Structure formats: structure tokens, C-alpha cells
């Protein structure tokens, strides 16, 4: 859709408004207009500013980890502009402006997109064909209730699945919470655990430290060195409410030196004035081993201290159950099972960073007073992601940079929440849970999902009783676009004999929405009301936002709270579901719960129209990972079986023994470097597909949300990054349309020839909408046409960034 056509689409909506013509005429004559309430139905106490524009408050609720309040300028019930909310005091961190990024500022283009789904609909064509018939809300909600009942009676509640969903992750009183409340009340549903975002690091952290830990970036104010593996905050947490703000202010204070290890010269490397160490994807554990070799051979490790806090660094702390030479030191020094000495040269051959620089890095880590070591989640979104995570987590421990000011755990910290409770969802009577990634297997081969085959990929049961027969896909493009290997997914969800009912709740007609049997239109966040928290990843800064409908919800779009209340009615559960409250009354109740603890907050009647209500900041005690453990490990053991940091994990050794691992799959007990099938080290496959392809999370969109906003596509094009040397070999120039392909598919995108990427590696943004042409080429340029469905060995999670491809001119 071209910008011009899009503008036309928006204009036609304006024409439909009855008040607009009169108002425009009056404004043209210079009259002052006092807007009647009816023009902003659903909005309360608008604050009047000149020219009949009113200010409303909303927030951007997508899953970028931030959560920006939006000041919405509305005229004639139409959004005319989005601005940042006013600032208290930008010079003070915690009172600073939470500036929305280019995406949030473009929200109105999402609201007025020609892709909007306007009415409830029922499929009429073949599944996936995208042909629908409009139905009434009463028919739609009755149909959903009837399907829930039918599937329950035929297969039981385990056959009902609520798919992973993050498109409106910020909603607190609608969306996921509303659905979970309904499903729990009516008998339960098959659970999932972990997420596409961070499954490998979450699971690996459990084995290393017992649970996920990380120090806030504010600690960098006390650091002299910062080493970041695949962390790109300038794109992934890029707002005023995001961690990039925290990082920059902290670096400003300490003037710490920053080193970023990434296959790409990222925006963060530019903005943090960092040194770039370009690394081959999937090889961080080899880099760590090379660093460890230097640390050991140059006597730079305080071994008595490491042995005090760890299990399995050397033979002295190995459990009795372990082979005698199974320690990490044995692995590095070549006395372990593989007999290879992990010199800096060995490491350099694998990861691509020169041996001299690896040795130097080891010395720098050791010499630093306080080094903050951290990894983004790109390094773990690989086929050997769990090992990469555990290896990077080793560095702070080996160098002593943990539990003290200015240090970290090696993990990317989450946020300390403000503490807004969500709509209570109740308890799920079904206890069975699959890894979020296994849902297509749970549709196609449920018999293959057992605790013996999947390990921690299945919880709460020994095996699945039934396959998934009804799937609810709300604010999610995972049903097709965001899951690995689209051609495989498409085949599975097209088969009506497998999953019998697909219900999609969406704003836009996405590739996933086309696969709906029942398609329900939801309000966008600018048409919604809510009380929300500052999200899981804003860092040490937190806040609470309340907002009302900025404009009247258009067409027949509705909030999921109201939709689910109507479905509950058809199930005879309305009173239990609503407890007599509207969505707004739930928000008020949740607010009162917050106010009980923070009595200084204003009354709800005022707060609900404030937008950003309050900002807070985490305390120093909440800010340093392992501070208690470091200070007194007897009194504050970690929650691992040994109470210590487990470099050697007996639990992993036991798991590995019992799981049927195949091919390249490995779960070593210490963080060894594990070769993956699709990398530069596979000499056979690279003959056909010589380039390593990784995806990244671009500032141009949030996954697949905002991807269909033409202005954003113009500002930040989706293009594949390719090094000058690789481009020369293929006679490519920047802007050329190329085909990227492997055995799983072909996509067509423009290329960007740049020295910002390592030779032999290509990278492109994830989240474009898949669109096949008549030759089967994905001209939408969706990365998941090329990715492989292959659950990682331990977490059974998504190796989205591990791919081999070839590129040629289209
Ligand atoms: N190749 C590759 N694939 C990946 C990744 C990768 O790195 N590489 N990353 C993975 C990760 S980390 C994640 S978290 C997932 C994210 O995948 P998803 O959770 O699917 O996230 P989105 O694509 O942002 O959004 C889903 C949908 O929500 C819709 N939406 C937005 N607001 C609303 C609303 O208010 N109501 C309703 N009903 N719908 C709304 C949007 O239109 C969009 O279609 O993708 C994963 N997929
Ligand atoms: N603008 C924007 N922000 C987002 C999102 C978005 O879609 N758009 N998505 C949000 C969500 S849900 C999530 S989960 C996070 C995702 O955050 P991340 O998972 O951290 O993001 P990625 O871009 O996948 O990866 C980060 C970096 O790792 C690099 N990398 C890839 N493989 C390797 C490797 O093997 N080793 C090393 N050292 N580096 C590697 C990539 O080049 C990239 O620069 O971002 C969140 N923020
Ligand atoms: S996409 Fe994220 S950073 Fe951008 S405005 Fe929305 S919440 Fe803020
Ligand atoms: Mo994510």
C-alpha cells in the first residue's frame, strides 16, 4: 500500500464523521469551538487546547520491552498527532521524559490502517485463503462458546490452546488476561512455558544460578569496563522509558570503556562509542574458552575465590558423580574428554576475533576494577543457545566481577516493576504445560511429546493426552509469521482434520489472521482504556499509566474484556466472569490496590485521565545481582542444588543421559562450545549455502507490529546486510533486489552492501509479513520462510538466528 492510498483511506474515515464538516467550517472562520462530549464519546474530561484540539492519553502496548505513554492530540474524534507526554525534570533520571520512539509516534497510522479488521467474521473459503463473511457479535460469541463446548466434550480441555501472544502485551484488563480468566473459569486449557524471547537464557540460568539474575544498568555508573555480547539497546530498548536511557546516563557518569561483541556493527556501537569485536554467530562459547585459557595460563584467576563460589571450575569442586576430568579447567586445558587445548588461536579460528585481541580482552577483564558483563538475547536465539548463555555467564565469575557495585551476572537485566496488578485470571485446572515452541508438534504429533523425549519441554504430565484441536490466537502473529519455518507451519495449520478450530483476535488482516475460522476485531490501544505497569524491561525506572479511549472505537471493534464477557454469557458464566464489573471498574479496583500501598496517589476520578500517573526507581539493594550471595554465601545460597554457581551441572549431566539427543544436539555439563548444524563450520552444507544468516530486532518495527506502516518502511527499510566482499563475489550493489534461499524457501528483499557486517555473515530484520507470489517466492521478505523448526536440545526453544543460506540477484 502506497502512502498516497493510505492517506486516502484515512480521509474516507474522516468523511464519515458527522460533526467534522461543521467544525472545519467554523475553525476556518476562526471561531472558537467548544467540543461537545458526544464528539469524543468514551473519553472523559478532555483538557481543551486551542483550535478545538483536545489532549487524550494513551500508551504504546507492543512488546519491545518498553512502555511509552502517548499524548494523543484529537480533533473531531480523529487522532491528528501523537506527542510525548510532558516531562517533570529531564535532568533527573526517574523524572525524565519517557519519549516514545518512531514506532509509538506512528501509532495513528496503525489505527487508521487499511488493514484494520472492522467486523466479526466467519471463514467461507478454504482455510488460509483469507475469505470471510461478516457476522454479528452475538453470532460470533455464541459460535466461540459452542466450539469451546464441542471440543471440551470431544477431546477434553487439554485440546484447547491459547497461543503465545505479545502484540498487546501491555494490556492489563483485556487481551491475554481476559482470555485466561475465561478459559480458567470454563475448565482450563493446555499451558505453555517460556517464550520466543528468552527461553534458552531462562532455562540456562536455572542450571547456572538457580534463577534469572541481572544488575540494573545504573550499576555502570560504578564500572570502568563494559562488555556487551549481542546487546543492542539502541534498537531493542530505544525509548525514553527503555534501558538505553539508563545505560547512557550511567556511562556518562563513569566514562567506562564499552566493548560490544556482535556480528553486526549495530546502532548501539555507534551511539555508545564502543569498540566493535565482530564475531561469527553461534561461537561466543569458543571465545569464552579462549579468554579462559589466557586467564588460566597467565595466572589471572583467583582460584580459591572461584572455588569458594562455584562447582566444577577445577577438579577440587567437581561432584563425586562426575568423571574425574570433567571440570571446566580440564575442558580448557585439553585434559578433558575432547583433548583439545582451547588456546586463543583455537578460539580465533572458530569465532573470527584475532587471537591477540582475545588475549588482550582476557587481560582487560582481569585488570578492570569493576566490569559490567552482559548479553542480549540474540546470542541465545540459536541452536546451541543454552551453551552460549552458560559460557558468557562464566566470565563474571572467573574474573570476580559479580555481586559488587558496577558488576553484573552476564545476563540482560529485566525491570523492577512499579507493581500494578492485572485482571485476576484465576487458576488453570489443567496442569500440563508444553514449551511455547512445541505447539505445532502438539497439533501434528502429540504422541511424540512425552517427558522422555522432551525433557523440560513438557511439564505437569508424562505425555499429552490429546493433540491441540482448538487454538486461540489473540494479538499474535505466531500462528504463521513469527514461528520458525513457515512452509511447515502453513501445512500444519491448513489441515482442518488436525486443529479443528482457529480463533483469531486482531487489529489487522495479518498472515496469521487469514488462517482464522472465526476472526474477531479488537480495539487498538488508542481506542482502549486501561491501567498499566511500565513493562518487564524498562530497567530500574518504573511507572504507572492510566488511559481512557482516545477516540470512539471505530466500526464494530471491541475490547477483549467485553468479548470474553459475552462468550461467558453463552457459557452461563457472565456473573462469575465479570463479578459485576465493567472493564473500567476493574481498572479502578486495581488502582485502589496500588493506592493502598501508595497513599500519596490521587483519587481514581483524577488519575484515570492523567496518562502517566507516577514514576519510581529501584533501590540500590534491588540493583546488584548476587550481592547477598557474594557477601555471605552460607546465609544466602543460590537456589541451585549445590547452593553455588554450577559451572559443572550434575542436573544437566543427568538430563543429557536420559534424553534422545540426535545429530548436532548436545547438552554438556560444563559450558563447552558446541558446533551447530547450520554454521560456517559445516563443511558440507556450506558448499551449497555458504552464508550464515541471523535475524535482528529492528527499530523499524516491533516484530510484525508496525511493519505495515509505509512511513516506517520508508524511514527504516527492511533489507539484508551483506559485506562488500560477499557482494563483490555475487556482483551486488546496495539497493539490488536479491533472493535469499535455502532448502526451506526463498525470500525477496533489497540488499544493503556494508562493512557493518562480518564477511560470510548476512543479517536482516525479523517481522516482515510473509506474502508468497505465484512462484512461491516470499516477496513479503519474512525471515521465517528461511528459518528451521528445530527445538533446541535443552529448552526445546527457537533457534531463529541459526541459518545457512545463499544469496543471488533476483
Ligand atoms: N525469525 C525470527 N522470528 C521471531 C523472532 C526472531 O528474532 N527471529 N523473535 C521472536 C520473538 S522474541 C517474539 S517475542 C515473537 C513475537 O511475535 P508476536 O507475539 O506475534 O508479536 P507481534 O508480531 O508484534 O504481534 C502480534 C500481533 O498483535 C497484533 N496487535 C497489536 N496490538 C493489538 C491489540 O491491541 N489487539 C489485538 N487483538 N492485536 C493486536 C498485531 O497486529 C500483530 O499482528 O516473534 C518471534 N519470532
Ligand atoms: N525495535 C524493536 N525493539 C524490540 C523488539 C523489536 O521487534 N523491535 N523486540 C523486543 C523483544 S520481544 C525481544 S525478545 C528483544 C530481543 O532482543 P535481542 O534478542 O537481544 O535482539 P536481537 O536483535 O535478536 O539480537 C541482539 C543482537 O545479537 C546479535 N547476535 C545474533 N547472533 C549472535 C551471536 O551468536 N553472538 C553474538 N555475540 N551476537 C549475536 C544480533 O546481531 C543483534 O545485534 O527485543 C525487544 N525490543
Ligand atoms: S515501540 Fe516501544 S519504545 Fe517505541 S513507543 Fe512503543 S513502547 Fe515505546
Ligand atoms: Mo521477544
Amino acid at each position: 500500500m502506497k502512502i498516497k492510498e493510505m492517506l486516502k483511506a484515512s480521509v474516507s474515515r474522516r468523511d464519515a464523521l458527522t460533526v467534522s464538516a461543521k467544525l472545519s467550517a467554523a475553525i476556518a472562520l476562526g471561531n472558537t469551538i467548544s467540543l461537545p462530549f458526544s464528539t469524543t464519546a468514551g473519553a472523559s474530561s478532555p483538557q481543551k487546547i486551542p483550535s478545538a484540539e483536545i489532549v487524550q492519553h494513551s500508551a504504546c502496548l507492543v512488546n519491545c520491552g518498553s512502555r511509552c505513554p502517548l499524548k494523543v492530540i484529537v480533533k473531531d474524534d480523529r487522532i491528528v498527532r501523537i506527542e510525548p507526554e510532558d516531562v517533570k525534570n529531564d535532568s533527573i533520571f526517574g523524572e525524565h521524559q519517557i519519549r516514545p520512539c518512531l514506532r509509538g509516534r506512528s501509532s495513528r497510522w496503525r489505527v487508521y490502517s487499511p488493514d484494520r479488521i472492522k467486523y466479526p467474521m466467519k471463514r467461507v473459503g478454504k482455510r488460509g485463503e483469507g475469505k470471510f463473511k461478516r457476522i454479528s457479535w452475538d453470532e460470533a460469541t455464541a459460535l466461540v462458546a459452542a466450539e469451546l463446548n464441542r471440543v471440551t466434550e470431544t477431546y477434553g480441555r487439554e485440546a484447547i490452546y491459547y497461543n503465545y501472544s505479545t502484540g498487546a502485551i501491555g494490556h492489563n484488563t483485556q487481551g491475554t488476561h481476559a482470555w485466561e480468566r475465561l478459559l480458567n473459569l470454563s475448565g482450563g486449557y493446555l499451558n505453555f512455558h517460556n517464550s520466543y524471547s528468552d527461553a534458552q537464557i531462562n532455562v540456562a540460568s536455572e542450571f547456572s544460578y538457580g534463577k534469572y539474575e541481572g544488575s540494573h544498568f545504573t550499576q555502570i555508573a560504578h564500572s570502568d569496563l563494559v562488555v556487551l555480547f549481542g546487546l543492542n539497546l539502541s534498537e531493542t530498548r530505544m525509548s525514553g522509558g527503555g534501558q538505553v536511557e539508563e545505560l547512557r546516563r550511567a556511562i556518562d557518569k563513569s566514562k567506562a570503556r564499552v566493548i560490544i561483541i556482535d556480528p553486526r556493527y549495530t546502532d548501539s556501537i555507534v551511539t555508545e562509542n564502543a569498540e566493535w569485536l565482530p564475531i561469527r554467530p553461534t561461537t561466543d562459547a569458543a571465545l569464552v574458552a579462549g579468554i579462559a585459557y589466557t586467564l588460566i595460563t597467565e595466572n589471572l584467576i583467583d582460584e580459591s575465590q572461584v572455588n569458594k563460589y562455584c562447582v566444577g571450575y577445577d577438579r577440587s569442586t567437581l561432584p563425586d558423580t562426575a568423571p574425574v576430568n570433567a571440570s571446566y579447567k580440564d575442558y580448557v586445558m585439553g585434559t578433558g574428554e575432547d583433548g583439545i587445548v582451547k588456546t586463543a588461536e583455537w578460539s580465533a579460528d572458530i569465532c573470527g576475533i584475532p587471537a591477540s585481541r582475545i588475549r588482550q580482552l582476557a587481560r582487560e577483564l582481569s585488570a578492570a576494577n569493576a566490569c559490567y558483563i552482559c548479553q542480549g538475547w540474540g546470542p541465545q536465539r540459536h541452536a546451541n543457545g543454552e551453551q552460549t548463555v552458560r559460557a558468557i555467564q562464566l566470565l563474571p565469575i572467573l574474573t570476580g566481577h559479580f555481586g559488587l557495585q558496577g558488576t553484573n551476572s552476564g545476563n540482560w537485566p529485566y525491570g523492577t516493576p512499579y507493581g500494578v496488578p492485572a485482571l485476576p485470571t484465576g487458576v488453570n485446572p489443567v496442569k500440563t504445560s508444553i514449551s511455547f515452541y512445541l505447539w505445532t508438534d502438539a497439533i501434528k504429533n502429540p504422541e511424540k511429546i512425552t517427558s522422555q523425549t522432551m525433557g523440560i519441554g513438557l511439564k505437569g504430565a508424562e505425555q499429552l493426552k490429546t493433540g491441540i484441536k482448538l487454538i486461540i490466537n489473540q494479538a499474535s502473529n505466531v500462528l504463521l509469521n513469527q514461528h520458525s519455518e513457515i512452509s511447515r507451519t502453513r501445512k500444519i495449520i491448513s489441515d482442518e482434520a488436525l486443529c479443528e478450530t482457529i480463533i483469531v483476535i486482531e487489529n489487522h488482516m495479518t498472515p496469521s489472521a487469514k488462517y482464522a475460522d472465526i476472526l474477531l476485531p479488537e480495539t487498538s490501544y488508542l481506542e482502549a482504556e486501561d491501567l498499566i505497569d511500565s513493562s518487564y524491561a524498562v530497567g530500574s525506572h518504573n511507572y504507572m499509566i492510566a488511559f481512557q479511549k482516545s477516540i470512539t472505537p471505530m466500526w464494530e471493534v471491541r475490547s477483549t474484556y467485553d468479548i470474553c464477557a459475552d462468550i461467558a454469557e453463552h457459557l452461563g458464566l457472565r456473573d462469575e466472569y465479570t463479578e459485576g464489573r465493567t472493564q473500567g471498574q476493574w481498572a479502578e479496583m486495581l488502582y485502589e490496590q496500588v493506592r493502598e500501598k501508595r497513599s500519596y496517589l490521587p483519587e481514581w476520578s483524577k488519575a484515570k485521565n492523567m496518562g502517566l500517573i507516577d514514576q519510581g526507581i529501584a533501590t540500590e539493594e534491588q540493583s546488584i545481582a548476587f550481592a547477598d550471595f557474594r557477601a555471605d554465601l552460607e546465609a544466602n545460597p543460590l537456589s541451585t542444588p549445590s547452593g553455588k554457581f554450577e559451572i559443572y551441572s550434575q542436573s544437566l549431566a543427568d538430563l543429557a543421559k536420559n534424553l534422545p539427543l540426535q545429530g548436532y544436539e548436545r547438552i554438556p555439563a560444563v559450558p563447552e562450545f558446541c558446533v551447530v548444524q547450520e554454521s560456517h563450520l559445516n563443511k558440507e552444507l556450506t558448499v551449497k549455502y555458504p552464508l550464515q544468516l541471523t535475524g535482528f530486532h529492528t527499530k523499524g518495527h516491533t516484530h510484525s507490529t508496525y511493519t505495515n506502516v509505509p512511513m516506517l518502511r520508508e524511514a527504516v527499510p527492511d533489507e539484508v546486510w551483506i559485506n562488500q566482499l560477499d557482494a563483490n563475489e555475487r556482483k551486488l550493489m546496495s539497493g539490488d533486489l536479491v533472493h535469499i534461499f535455502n532448502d526451506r524457501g526463498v525470500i525477496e528483499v533489497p540488499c544493503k552492501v556494508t562493512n557493518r557486517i562480518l564477511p560470510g555473515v548476512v543479517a536482516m530484520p525479523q517481522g516482515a509479513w510473509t506474502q508468497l507470489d505465484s512462484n512461491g517466492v516470499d516477496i513479503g521478505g519474512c525471515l521465517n520462510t528461511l528459518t528451521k523448526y528445530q527445538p533446541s536440545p535443552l529448552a526445546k526453544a527457537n533457534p531463529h538466528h541459526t541459518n545457512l543460506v545463499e544469496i543471488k540477484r533476483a
Side-chain angles (χ1 to χ4, degrees):
M1 167 75 47
K2 296 274 170 312
I3 294 180
K4 243 208 262 149
E5 288 168 50
M6 189 151 168
L7 282 170
K8 240 196 273 167
S10 330
V11 168
S12 60
R13 156 77 192 150
R14 176 165 52 203
D15 292 345
L17 290 168
T18 47
V19 286
S20 125
K22 251 193 234 158
L23 276 170
S24 322
I27 292 161
L29 291 170
N31 295 350
T32 315
I33 301 290
S34 193
L35 274 181
F37 255 91
S38 61
T39 60
T40 53
S44 350
S45 312
Q47 168 199 334
K48 207 175 122 239
I49 59 171
S51 301
E53 285 182 347
I54 56 164
V55 173
Q56 297 282 14
H57 302 281
S58 188
C60 179
L61 304 185
V62 295
N63 181 15
C64 72
S66 302
R67 181 71 56 244
C68 300
L70 304 175
K71 186 167 164 186
V72 188
I73 314 300
V74 175
K75 194 169 156 183
D76 312 345
D77 204 16
R78 269 191 60 76
I79 304 156
V80 289
R81 232 171 28 255
I82 309 264
E83 294 179 356
E85 288 285 11
D86 298 337
V87 54
K88 247 199 226 159
N89 184 347
D90 210 39
S91 63
I92 300 176
F93 183 70
E95 296 185 16
H96 62 280
Q97 189 169 47
I98 306 169
R99 276 184 285 277
C101 76
L102 69 169
R103 304 181 297 277
R105 295 286 290 266
S106 311
S107 296
R108 78 185 182 107
W109 297 113
R110 272 199 77 238
V111 176
Y112 297 125
S113 166
D115 293 325
R116 281 298 293 269
I117 300 168
K118 301 174 176 146
Y119 309 104
M121 294 190 284
K122 202 164 91 174
R123 172 168 68 88
V124 287
K126 259 183 30 202
R127 193 187 269 169
E129 217 181 354
K131 289 192 183 147
F132 296 96
K133 177 182 144 213
R134 181 175 168 184
I135 54 176
S136 71
W137 267 115
D138 189 50
E139 202 181 340
T141 49
L143 201 56
V144 173
E147 279 305 288
L148 284 172
N149 282 336
R150 183 187 66 78
V151 170
T152 305
E153 278 155 30
T154 322
Y155 303 102
R157 291 301 284 203
E158 248 184 58
I160 296 172
Y161 188 63
Y162 181 86
N163 206 5
Y164 179 90
S165 135
T166 69
I169 195 176
H171 262 314
N172 233 10
T173 58
Q174 64 184 76
T176 301
H177 302 290
W179 274 104
E180 286 179 350
R181 182 174 170 85
L182 177 71
L183 292 173
N184 285 341
L185 256 179
S186 58
Y189 60 103
L190 177 64
N191 293 286
F192 69 76
H193 51 270
N194 282 322
S195 89
Y196 284 87
S197 309
D198 58 1
Q200 281 100 321
I201 192 167
N202 249 324
V203 168
S205 297
E206 280 170 35
F207 289 93
S208 302
Y209 340 118
K211 67 179 187 356
Y212 198 103
E213 299 255 5
S215 305
H216 285 312
F217 289 105
T218 42
Q219 286 308 313
I220 290 174
H222 310 288
S223 318
D224 53 346
L225 182 64
V226 175
V227 179
L228 309 175
F229 290 79
L231 185 78
N232 183 20
L233 298 186
S234 290
E235 289 195 80
T236 56
R237 301 284 191 251
M238 67 186 288
S239 84
Q243 287 165 320
V244 73
E245 188 72 29
E246 191 175 358
L247 175 74
R248 268 186 215 143
R249 288 181 191 239
I251 294 176
D252 235 27
K253 278 195 190 143
S254 65
K255 309 283 184 255
R257 206 158 75 75
V258 183
I259 297 170
I260 298 185
I261 301 162
D262 197 300
R264 300 185 304 131
Y265 187 87
T266 59
D267 285 11
S268 299
I269 297 171
V270 181
T271 53
E272 308 318 340
N273 197 18
E275 178 188 351
W276 177 34
L277 296 185
I279 190 168
R280 284 276 191 175
T282 71
T283 65
D284 301 73
L287 170 62
V288 172
I291 293 172
Y293 179 83
T294 307
L295 292 173
I296 294 168
T297 53
E298 298 188 5
N299 279 324
L300 299 176
I301 296 181
D302 179 343
E303 296 199 336
S304 66
Q305 175 171 291
V306 171
N307 284 330
K308 177 175 161 194
Y309 290 102
C310 300
V311 168
Y313 162 67
D314 64 18
R315 295 182 182 191
S316 69
T317 57
L318 270 182
D320 297 342
T321 42
V324 63
N325 63 342
S327 75
Y328 189 69
K329 192 171 176 185
D330 279 298
Y331 167 71
V332 172
M333 298 310 293
T335 46
E337 209 189 318
D338 68 7
I340 300 168
V341 188
K342 311 298 181 312
T343 60
E345 283 72 17
W346 168 87
S347 172
D349 273 352
I350 294 169
C351 74
I353 299 173
S356 57
R357 187 66 193 92
I358 294 173
R359 277 191 286 271
Q360 189 58 31
L361 182 57
R363 293 169 196 144
E364 284 165 346
L365 284 166
S366 154
N369 290 322
C371 178
Y372 186 98
I373 301 167
C374 182
Q375 58 186 309
W377 297 338
Q380 56 97 57
R381 206 167 294 111
H382 279 290
N384 60 357
E386 296 95 343
Q387 292 317 307
T388 296
V389 167
R390 289 205 355 108
I392 296 171
Q393 288 171 342
L394 254 179
L395 280 182
I397 303 289
L398 295 183
T399 54
H401 296 299
F402 70 98
L404 303 173
Q405 270 198 336
T407 70
N408 184 29
S409 62
N411 281 13
W412 189 1
Y414 284 108
T416 299
Y418 182 89
V420 185
L423 177 73
T425 55
V427 177
N428 187 351
V430 175
K431 297 300 166 215
T432 313
S433 174
I434 55 172
S435 154
F436 68 95
Y437 192 54
L438 297 179
W439 62 274
T440 42
D441 277 334
I443 292 176
K444 190 168 162 251
N445 309 111
E447 70 289 348
K448 285 195 187 156
I449 302 185
T450 69
S451 49
Q452 265 156 10
T453 56
M454 291 297 165
I456 54 178
L458 178 68
K459 292 182 180 172
E462 287 300 303
Q463 61 186 80
L464 288 186
K465 286 201 207 92
T466 164
I468 294 170
K469 293 294 177 187
L470 181 152
I471 193 161
I472 296 164
N473 194 82
Q474 131 92 29
S476 167
N477 212 347
V478 164
L479 187 68
L480 189 69
N481 211 73
Q482 296 303 106
H483 191 59
S484 305
E485 204 171 333
I486 285 184
S487 57
R488 173 184 177 275
T489 313
R490 189 178 273 122
K491 223 186 257 163
I492 294 171
I493 61 172
S494 298
D495 189 341
E496 292 168 45
L498 290 174
C499 182
E500 296 172 3
T501 310
I502 298 180
I503 300 165
V504 174
I505 305 92
E506 248 298 342
N507 292 153
H508 291 171
M509 188 60 91
T510 62
S512 294
K514 289 190 178 150
Y515 281 81
D517 298 318
I518 305 168
L519 182 54
L520 308 177
E522 201 188 12
T523 47
S524 64
Y525 40 78
L526 295 166
E527 298 159 294
E529 59 184 323
D530 217 330
L531 174 76
I532 60 171
D533 206 318
S534 43
S535 190
Y536 62 92
V538 286
S540 61
H541 169 222
N542 53 41
Y543 42 92
M544 172 166 65
I545 303 172
F547 57 89
Q548 302 296 310
K549 296 168 185 169
S550 292
I551 53 167
T552 314
M554 298 190 285
W555 311 291
E556 286 187 12
V557 304
R558 297 179 73 200
S559 136
T560 7
Y561 179 79
D562 294 337
I563 299 171
C564 288
D566 283 1
I567 299 169
E569 165 105 42
H570 291 293
L571 295 170
L573 293 168
R574 180 184 279 277
D575 292 344
E576 289 92 325
Y577 185 80
T578 64
E579 295 179 27
R581 292 189 190 91
T582 61
Q583 188 180 348
Q585 286 164 339
W586 278 106
E588 177 175 0
M589 190 190 97
L590 301 175
Y591 182 75
E592 292 307 338
Q593 287 172 10
V594 177
R595 214 162 146 242
E596 267 169 35
K597 293 189 197 124
R598 302 182 189 241
S599 54
Y600 62 88
L601 290 170
E603 291 195 351
W604 177 243
S605 57
K606 176 162 184 241
K608 70 179 191 179
N609 295 308
M610 283 173 69
L612 181 64
I613 303 173
D614 190 29
Q615 283 169 279
I617 205 104
T619 60
E620 184 75 4
E621 299 85 73
Q622 291 168 313
S623 284
I624 309 176
F626 305 132
D628 295 353
F629 173 64
R630 173 110 192 207
D632 185 347
L633 85 153
E634 303 295 335
N636 310 298
L638 300 182
S639 49
T640 53
S642 63
K644 297 188 179 183
F645 182 89
E646 301 206 342
I647 299 177
Y648 180 93
S649 164
Q650 188 57 50
S651 316
L652 282 182
D654 294 343
L655 251 171
K657 229 186 302 163
N658 297 325
L659 276 177
L661 298 175
Q662 282 160 2
Y664 286 76
E665 295 177 344
R666 289 192 60 222
I667 306 180
V670 296
E672 296 179 15
F673 165 65
C674 300
V675 182
V676 297
Q677 185 180 20
E678 300 207 11
S679 83
H680 60 303
L681 299 171
N682 185 332
K683 297 297 171 221
E684 278 164 43
L685 205 50
T686 46
V687 174
K688 214 168 153 194
Y689 302 123
L691 300 167
Q692 283 184 278
L693 167 71
T694 70
F696 63 92
H697 293 232
T698 165
K699 62 189 170 226
H701 32 96
T702 307
H703 310 291
S704 71
T705 309
Y706 290 112
T707 307
N708 57 335
V709 175
M711 296 68 174
L712 287 173
R713 292 292 55 70
E714 197 180 322
V716 191
D718 274 9
E719 42 194 13
V720 61
W721 296 24
I722 181 166
N723 185 276
Q724 187 74 59
L725 295 174
D726 296 315
N728 288 351
E729 257 178 54
R730 293 163 181 80
K731 302 195 170 40
L732 298 174
M733 299 215 305
S734 270
D736 283 350
L737 262 189
V738 297
H739 280 176
I740 315 178
F741 58 97
N742 58 21
D743 289 344
R744 298 178 286 271
V746 191
I747 70 174
E748 185 173 295
V749 285
C751 72
K752 163 178 168 147
V753 178
T754 171
N755 289 329
R756 286 177 66 175
I757 183 116
L758 203 57
V761 183
V762 292
M764 62 169 290
Q766 62 95 14
W769 293 18
T770 178
Q771 189 194 339
L772 294 188
D773 72 3
S774 52
N775 299 315
V777 176
D778 186 346
I779 52 171
C782 181
L783 190 54
N784 285 321
T785 295
L786 301 168
T787 56
K788 183 174 182 180
Y789 176 76
Q790 184 184 39
S792 64
L794 175 61
K796 302 299 170 199
N798 48 322
H800 269 128
H801 292 349
T802 306
N803 310 285
L804 282 178
V805 296
E806 175 56 299
I807 293 189
K808 63 169 193 220
R809 187 193 297 276

